[in-house]
C-alpha cells in the first residue's frame, strides 16, 4: 500500500532522513521508534507530504505522491493524521469538529455526517460528549475526538505522531485502547510512539530509526527480544 524508496530529507545542511526504504502493506500496523531527533516525525510527515522529500520516491496504492504533478491536497484527504497536540477547533462542539471535514471537503450532507460522526464518537467511547467544547474535555478525551475526526474522513490509512506523549499518565491507556481497537478493524496504521508495551503488543512490525537511518525492521518479538545493532540495544536499555 505504501512504498518508500530511497527517501532523503534535508533541512538546510541537516540531513534528517538518509536513504529510507520500506513497504507497508494494507492492514498492517507499523510502529516507528527511535531516539528523539532521529527523524521519526519527519518520516511520518513525508508520508502525507507535510514535508516534501528531498530525494526518493513514495508510492501509495501505485500512485507516486512525490511526482510533481500529484495533487497534494487530494493525497492528504486519504490520509488521517493524529498529532501529539490535538489541534481541535476550539469554537466548535465535539460533533462539529468531527463533521466539519466530511461536510466541507467531501460534501456530505449534515445528516449523513452527523450519523457517521455519532457512530465514531461511540467507537471512541465519547457519545455523551457530542455537544461539549474541547476546552471542557480532558486530554485523553480530546485525543479520542481527534482520532474520531481523522476517521470521519474515511482515510485509507492513519498516521499517529506520539499521540499519547502530551497526556497525563492516567489518560494514556484510554487512548491506547482506542488505538488498539482501531488496529483490530484492519485499517493500516503507522504509529510513532514511545509506548514500548503498546508497540510490542499491537504492532505487526517495528521500524527503528537512528540519526535518520533505518537501522532495524522486524516483528516486535525480533526487535525487542533480539535487537541486532548496538544502537538499538542501547536505546532499549534506556526505555525498557
Ligand atoms: P523525532 O520525531 O525522531 O524526534 P524529527 O523528525 O522531529 O525527529 O527531527 C529530526 C531532525 O530534523 C531534528 O534534528 C530536527 O531538529 C530537524 N527538523 C525537524 N523538522 C524541521 C524543520 N521543519 N526545519 C528544520 N529542521 C527540522
Ligand atoms: Mg517527533
Amino acid at each position: 500500500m505504501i512504498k518508500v524508496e530511497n527517501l532523503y530529507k534535508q533541512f538546510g545542511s541537516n540531513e534528517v532522513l538518509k536513504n529510507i526504504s520500506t513497504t507497508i502493506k494494507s492492514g498492517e500496523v507499523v510502529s516507528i521508534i527511535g531516539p528523539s531527533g532521529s527523524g521519526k516525525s519527519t518520516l511520518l510527515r513525508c508520508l502525507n507530504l507535510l514535508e516534501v522529500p528531498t530525494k526518493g520516491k513514495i508510492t501509495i496504492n501505485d500512485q507516486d505522491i512525490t511526482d510533481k504533478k500529484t495533487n497534494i491536497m487530494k493525497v492528504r484527504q486519504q490520509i488521517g493524521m493524529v498529532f501529539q497536540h490535538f489541534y481541535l477547533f476550539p469554537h466548535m462542539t465535539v460533533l462539529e469538529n468531527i463533521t466539519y471535514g466530511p461536510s466541507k471537503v467531501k460534501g456530505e450532507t449534515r445528516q449523513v455526517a452527523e450519523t457517521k460522526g455519532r457512530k465514531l464518537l461511540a467507537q471512541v467511547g465519547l457519545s455523551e460528549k457530542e455537544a461539549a467544547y474541547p476546552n471542557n474535555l480532558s486530554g485523553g478525551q480530546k485525543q479520542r475526538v481527534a482520532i474520531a475526526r481523522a476517521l470521519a474522513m474515511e482515510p485509507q490509512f492513519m498516521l499517529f505522531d506520539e499521540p499519547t506523549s502530551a497526556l497525563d499518565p492516567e489518560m494514556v491507556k484510554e487512548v491506547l485502547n482506542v488505538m488498539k481497537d482501531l488496529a483490530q478493524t484492519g485499517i493500516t496504521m503507522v504509529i510513532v510512539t514511545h509506548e514500548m508495551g503498546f508497540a510490542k503488543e499491537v504492532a505487526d512490525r517495528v521500524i527503528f530509526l537512528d540519526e535518520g537511518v533505518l537501522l532495524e525492521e522486524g516483528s516486535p518479538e525480533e526487535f525487542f527480544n533480539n535487537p541486532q545493532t548496538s544502537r538499538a540495544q542501547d536505546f532499549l536499555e534506556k526505555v525498557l
Side-chain angles (χ1 to χ4, degrees), residues 95 98-99 102 106 108 110-122 151-154:
L95 188 60
I98 294 172
T99 56
K106 297 182 85 163
E108 284 179 12
R110 183 176 166 153
Q111 198 189 1
V112 167
E114 286 188 349
T115 304
K116 226 175 55 185
R118 290 196 172 102
K119 214 167 131 201
L120 287 165
L121 274 178
L151 289 171
M153 293 297 285
E154 296 172 332

Side-chain angles (χ1 to χ4, degrees), residues 102-227:
S103 22
K104 278 280 169 300
V105 181
K106 297 182 85 163
E108 284 179 12
T109 65
R110 183 176 166 153
Q111 198 189 1
V112 167
E114 286 188 349
T115 304
K116 226 175 55 185
R118 290 196 172 102
K119 214 167 131 201
L120 287 165
L121 274 178
Q123 186 180 334
V124 301
L126 288 173
S127 293
E128 77 283 11
K129 294 291 183 193
E130 69 165 70
Y133 283 87
N135 280 343
N136 297 320
L137 300 179
S138 72
Q141 291 170 334
K142 282 183 204 167
Q143 193 59 300
R144 287 188 278 150
V145 173
I147 293 171
R149 183 178 60 174
L151 289 171
M153 293 297 285
E154 296 172 332
Q156 298 194 28
F157 59 91
M158 289 282 286
L159 307 176
F160 295 86
D161 194 356
E162 298 196 28
T164 60
S165 294
L167 300 178
D168 291 333
E170 72 270 23
M171 290 164 190
V172 168
K173 198 133 195 198
E174 66 190 53
V175 172
L176 292 180
N177 282 340
V178 163
M179 291 170 63
K180 206 157 88 184
D181 290 346
L182 191 57
Q184 258 143 31
T185 68
I187 190 169
T188 311
M189 295 164 72
V190 185
I191 307 163
V192 174
T193 185
H194 290 299
E195 295 290 334
M196 295 301 140
F198 177 80
K200 222 179 215 170
E201 190 189 358
V202 179
D204 299 308
R205 191 149 51 92
V206 170
I207 287 174
F208 177 71
L209 279 191
D210 186 67
E211 295 182 353
V213 178
L214 193 161
L215 273 191
E216 301 201 22
E217 179 169 27
S219 72
E221 295 75 32
E222 285 168 345
F223 178 73
F224 288 107
N225 299 337
N226 196 13

Side-chain angles (χ1 to χ4, degrees), residues 11 14 16 34-43 51 161-162 192:
F11 291 110
N14 186 8
V16 171
S36 184
S38 57
K40 303 180 298 295
S41 294
T42 304
L43 174 57
E51 299 292 353
D161 194 356
E162 298 196 28
V192 174

Side-chain angles (χ1 to χ4, degrees), residues 82-100:
V82 174
F83 301 89
Q84 184 174 347
H85 302 285
F86 331 106
Y87 305 117
L88 297 176
F89 308 121
H91 58 293
M92 292 184 195
T93 66
V94 163
L95 188 60
E96 284 163 359
N97 263 278
I98 294 172
T99 56
Y100 181 80

